[in-house]
């Protein structure tokens, strides 16, 4: 369908400029297109461009690049749900879910998510654009988003780069966006992948408590919970263990009795072992008895496909990076992927405690980088010489005062409409599926909100939607979640 382009750009005085002067501060380009979703034709417009971040005094602190898709022909837009989408990193562009999961276009890849040439995009027949409008937001220094500084001044990194700062300025930006697009009456959702999980937990409370913007749903895709992730404490080691079982099952490395069962039959057993036996054993540290240590190591070997000897050498605390190197060391000699352990890598040496590189990420960058650059310039018609940052510099990132879990609990307590969906891939070794389940329990330690928290698992990795079967299933799960959480359930009260 022919594109209709509307271009308006505002430029500001030379005393205030983007860190890269080629980035316009405030610009909008609108194109029209059509996609067939679930067998039905959907007409939509794509609004892409940059929108400023204003501080409390109205000063411009940054400009964020975004793409906003909205279905046309909708009679009552105020009833149409709106999804505000973020990726993670921190420092990652909102490219992954944009052109591989929920948006109207997806990568030209095979059914398992591997890159194929020619690189590019195609229509997404499973996009949720039929039931919700979507805006993909790129935080500062990702994609074409850049800080704005006065002449001879430095970037105010503390304003952007931290758990609390990030949520604050993004909440301000979203408020401006919602006002500009007249979406205050719409059911609203925020979705975040990886670090985006922490981002949206924090953002839910920030939006409600500081912007008075109340949400219908928070969606976390392969969430990274930094109150657990890479802490190297007993919980961290134990809750990651069921992922070992999943990855070993996929690579046919489990004992015959387990290998003959379906993945979803054996994972509950591994989860039970991890919580009821492995966690207490690791917590004992050096005071564990030799008998118990041997018993636990034997069960770990049974459920993980790696040898008792190396488990004992690690004092039962087997890091994920060691597992990626060890699982196939004595069979094929290959490593397995961090973000998706279905992928295989080849290291310089068989020895070592961690892989040389992440085979899945290099594979994905094959597909995503050329596709997003082509798509934005040729289809969305946003023309620029500026580099699109797949990953941008956001360091040092301030992880202090991380109350994201508790802030999401507060947001749920204050808002009876608010529901949470968590989506994870069983073969994700970076932000493991059982760690996501564990986080759900920590968000709601009283168990009061059990009926408002939903978990969905998939037979793939961190970006589970790259596998065609899971792309369809995950989008359908989103549709159902939106349908249930946007229902008129009466007054917002307990």
């Amino acid at each position: 369908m022919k594109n209709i382009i509307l271009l308006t750009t505002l430029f500001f005085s030379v005393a205030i400029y983007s860190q890269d002067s080629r980035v316009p501060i405030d610009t909008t380009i609108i194109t029209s297109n059509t996609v067939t979703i679930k067998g039905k034709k959907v007409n939509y417009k794509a609004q892409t461009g940059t929108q400023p971040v204003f501080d409390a005094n109205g000063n411009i602190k940054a400009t964020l690049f975004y793409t906003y898709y909205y279905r046309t022909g909708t009679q009552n837009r105020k009833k149409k749900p709106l999804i505000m989408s973020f990726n993670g990193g921190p420092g990652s562009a909102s490219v992954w879910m944009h052109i591989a999961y929920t948006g109207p276009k997806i990568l030209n890849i095979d059914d398992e998510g591997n890159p194929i040439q020619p690189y590019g995009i195609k229509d997404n027949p499973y996009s949720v654009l039929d039931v919700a409008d979507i805006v993909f937001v790129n935080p500062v220094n990702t994609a074409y988003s850049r800080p704005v500084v006065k002449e001879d001044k430095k970037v105010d990194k503390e304003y952007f780069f931290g758990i609390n700062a990030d949520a604050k300025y993004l909440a301000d930006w979203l408020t401006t966006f919602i006002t500009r697009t007249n979406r205050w009456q719409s059911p609203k959702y925020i979705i975040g992948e990886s670090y985006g999980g922490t981002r949206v937990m924090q953002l839910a409370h920030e939006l409600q408590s500081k912007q008075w913007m109340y949400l219908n749903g928070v969606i976390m895709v392969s969430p990274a919970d930094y109150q657990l992730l890479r802490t190297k404490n007993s919980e961290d080691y134990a809750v990651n263990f069921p992922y070992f079982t999943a990855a070993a099952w996929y690579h046919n490395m489990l004992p015959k009795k387990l290998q003959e069962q379906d993945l979803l039959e054996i994972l509950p057993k591994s989860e039970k072992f991890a919580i009821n036996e492995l966690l207490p054993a690791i917590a004992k540290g050096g005071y564990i008895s030799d008998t118990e240590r041997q018993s636990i190591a034997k069960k770990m070997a049974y459920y993980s496909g790696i040898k008792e000897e190396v488990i004992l050498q690690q004092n039962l605390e087997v890091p994920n990076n060691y597992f990626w190197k060890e699982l196939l060391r004595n069979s094929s000699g290959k490593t397995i992927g961090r973000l998706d352990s279905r992928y295989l890598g080849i290291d310089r040496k068989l020895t070592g405690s961690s892989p040389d590189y992440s085979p899945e990420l290099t594979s994905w960058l094959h597909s995503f980088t050329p596709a997003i650059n082509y798509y934005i310039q040729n289809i969305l018609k946003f023309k620029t010489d500026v580099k699109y940052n797949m990953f941008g510099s956001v360091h040092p990132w301030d992880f202090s005062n991380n109350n994201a879990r508790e802030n999401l609990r507060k947001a749920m307590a204050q808002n009876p409409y608010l529901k949470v969906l968590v989506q994870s891939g069983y073969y994700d070794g970076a932000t493991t599926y059982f760690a996501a389940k564990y986080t759900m329990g920590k968000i709601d330690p009283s168990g009061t909100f059990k009926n408002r928290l939903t978990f969905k698992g998939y037979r793939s990795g961190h970006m589970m939607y790259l596998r065609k079967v899971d792309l369809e299933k995950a989008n359908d799960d989103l549709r159902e979640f939106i349908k249930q959480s946007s229902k008129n359930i009466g007054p917002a009260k307990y």
Side-chain angles (χ1 to χ4, degrees):
M1 185 174 181
K2 185 179 179 181
N3 284 332
I4 302 172
I5 306 169
L6 169 65
L7 174 61
T8 58
T9 308
L10 295 177
F11 293 99
F12 294 81
S13 79
V14 293
I16 301 175
Y17 55 91
S18 168
Q19 198 175 22
D20 188 324
S21 60
R22 296 171 296 175
V23 178
I25 302 292
D26 199 337
T27 186
T28 300
I29 301 170
I30 299 176
T31 54
S32 299
N33 215 323
T34 300
V35 63
T36 299
I37 300 173
K38 309 287 285 185
K40 295 182 179 180
K41 182 178 177 181
V42 174
N43 296 317
Y44 68 92
K45 288 189 177 182
Q47 175 180 315
T48 192
T50 53
Q51 177 188 294
V53 173
F54 298 102
D55 67 14
N57 297 316
N59 299 310
I60 298 171
K61 301 288 291 185
T63 185
L64 302 191
F65 178 75
Y66 71 96
T67 303
Y68 169 43
Y69 297 100
Y70 54 97
R71 187 172 181 174
T72 54
T74 301
Q75 292 182 346
N76 194 349
R77 185 164 300 282
K78 70 180 181 180
K79 292 184 179 179
K80 189 75 179 290
L82 174 67
I83 299 173
M84 296 163 272
S85 182
F86 301 90
N87 274 99
S92 171
S94 290
V95 55
W96 316 99
M97 292 193 291
H98 184 175
I99 58 168
Y101 186 11
T102 53
K105 301 290 184 182
I106 52 173
L107 297 171
N108 184 30
I109 52 179
D110 72 12
D111 288 352
E112 290 299 314
N114 299 298
I116 56 177
Q117 293 183 340
Y119 301 125
I121 55 170
K122 57 188 177 183
D123 285 352
N124 182 1
Y126 311 115
S127 169
V128 292
L129 190 58
D130 57 335
V131 297
D133 297 334
I134 315 168
V135 58
F136 295 92
V137 186
N138 295 278
V140 168
N141 276 354
T142 70
Y144 303 125
S145 299
R146 298 292 188 271
V148 169
V149 294
K150 292 184 178 180
E151 195 170 3
D152 299 325
K153 297 292 183 180
K154 293 182 179 180
V155 174
D156 185 0
K157 293 184 177 182
E158 292 183 1
Y159 194 90
F160 304 110
F161 303 147
I163 286 178
N164 294 287
D166 176 78
K168 184 180 184 304
Y169 89 82
L170 288 174
D172 289 337
W173 188 94
L174 287 172
T175 300
T176 302
F177 176 82
I178 293 294
T179 299
R180 285 187 174 192
T181 55
N182 195 24
R183 298 305 299 261
W184 277 102
Q185 291 180 288
S186 300
K188 299 175 191 66
Y189 297 82
I190 50 177
I191 182 172
E193 181 180 82
S194 198
Y195 175 82
T198 290
R199 173 175 280 141
V200 295
M201 283 195 285
Q202 186 76 4
L203 192 53
H205 184 256
E206 186 72 24
L207 284 169
Q208 291 187 181
S209 64
K210 301 294 176 61
Q211 305 293 335
W212 311 289
M213 186 189 298
Y214 285 75
L215 304 169
N216 287 70
V218 171
I219 303 152
M220 292 185 276
V221 178
S222 307
D225 176 4
Y226 285 85
Q227 289 178 268
L228 178 64
L229 185 68
R230 295 196 290 269
T231 56
K232 296 184 179 181
N233 59 29
S234 301
E235 295 169 295
D236 191 10
Y237 288 113
V239 301
N240 284 330
F241 184 79
Y243 147 75
F244 289 7
T245 305
W249 181 88
Y250 179 83
H251 290 288
N252 199 31
M253 294 299 291
L254 292 177
K256 188 170 185 264
K257 183 178 178 181
L258 287 179
Q259 201 65 55
E260 289 175 345
Q261 298 177 59
D262 184 69
L263 176 66
L264 298 187
E265 292 181 273
I266 63 175
L267 286 183
K269 300 170 187 175
S270 182
E271 293 171 11
K272 184 177 179 180
F273 164 70
I275 289 296
N276 295 337
E277 298 183 60
L278 180 56
L279 178 56
I282 294 175
K284 293 176 183 177
Y287 289 94
I288 189 173
S289 70
D290 289 342
T291 301
E292 185 180 5
R293 190 195 300 269
Q294 291 287 343
S295 174
I296 294 296
K298 185 175 183 179
K299 288 186 178 181
M300 288 179 72
Y302 179 69
Y303 282 115
S304 71
I306 60 176
K307 296 179 179 179
E308 286 181 52
E309 178 185 2
V310 299
I311 291 170
L312 288 168
Q313 289 171 353
Q314 299 275 355
N315 298 320
L316 308 181
E317 298 178 342
V318 181
N320 289 14
N321 61 299
Y322 184 84
F323 177 76
W324 304 327
K325 181 79 174 182
E326 177 66 24
L327 181 65
L328 304 180
R329 194 195 303 262
N330 297 313
S331 55
S332 69
K334 292 183 173 65
T335 62
I336 62 173
R338 179 178 77 96
L339 294 162
D340 190 331
S341 292
R342 296 176 301 151
Y343 289 75
L344 299 176
I346 300 175
D347 279 0
R348 180 181 176 87
K349 297 179 181 179
L350 283 177
T351 56
S353 59
S354 62
D356 292 348
Y357 68 104
S358 297
E360 76 296 336
L361 185 57
T362 56
S363 173
W364 296 341
L365 288 169
H366 270 224
S367 307
F368 278 93
T369 308
I372 192 64
N373 279 278
Y374 166 80
Y375 179 52
I376 290 172
Q377 301 241 7
N378 294 276
I379 306 300
L380 299 181
K381 304 298 182 182
F382 187 90
K383 303 287 186 179
T384 179
D385 291 331
V386 177
K387 177 185 175 183
Y388 183 97
N389 284 340
M390 301 290 285
F391 302 102
S393 175
V394 295
H395 301 292
W397 192 268
D398 184 2
F399 284 96
S400 64
N401 300 314
N402 178 6
N403 296 305
R405 288 179 187 169
E406 173 60 12
N407 283 335
L408 179 55
R409 187 203 66 78
K410 286 180 181 178
M412 294 182 74
Q414 294 164 3
N415 180 3
Y417 290 143
L418 181 55
K419 295 185 178 181
V420 175
L421 171 65
V422 176
Q423 298 180 300
S424 292
Y426 296 119
Y427 307 130
D428 179 1
T431 58
T432 64
Y433 86 91
F434 195 55
K437 285 187 174 182
Y438 185 82
T439 293
M440 291 168 68
K442 292 297 184 178
I443 289 169
D444 176 33
S446 70
T448 306
F449 301 140
K450 278 183 180 179
N451 65 334
R452 292 163 61 188
L453 289 155
T454 302
F455 176 86
K456 295 290 183 180
Y458 307 91
R459 296 177 188 243
S460 41
H462 194 71
M463 293 193 282
M464 69 283 172
Y465 42 81
L466 293 179
R467 181 171 176 255
K468 185 179 179 181
V469 171
D470 290 321
L471 171 68
E472 181 176 10
K473 185 176 185 297
N475 273 295
D476 281 344
D477 288 337
L478 280 179
R479 273 188 192 83
E480 183 61 24
F481 178 72
I482 291 168
K483 178 182 176 182
Q484 295 301 322
S485 56
S486 62
K487 282 182 177 179
N488 185 351
I489 58 173
K493 65 177 184 178
Y494 292 112

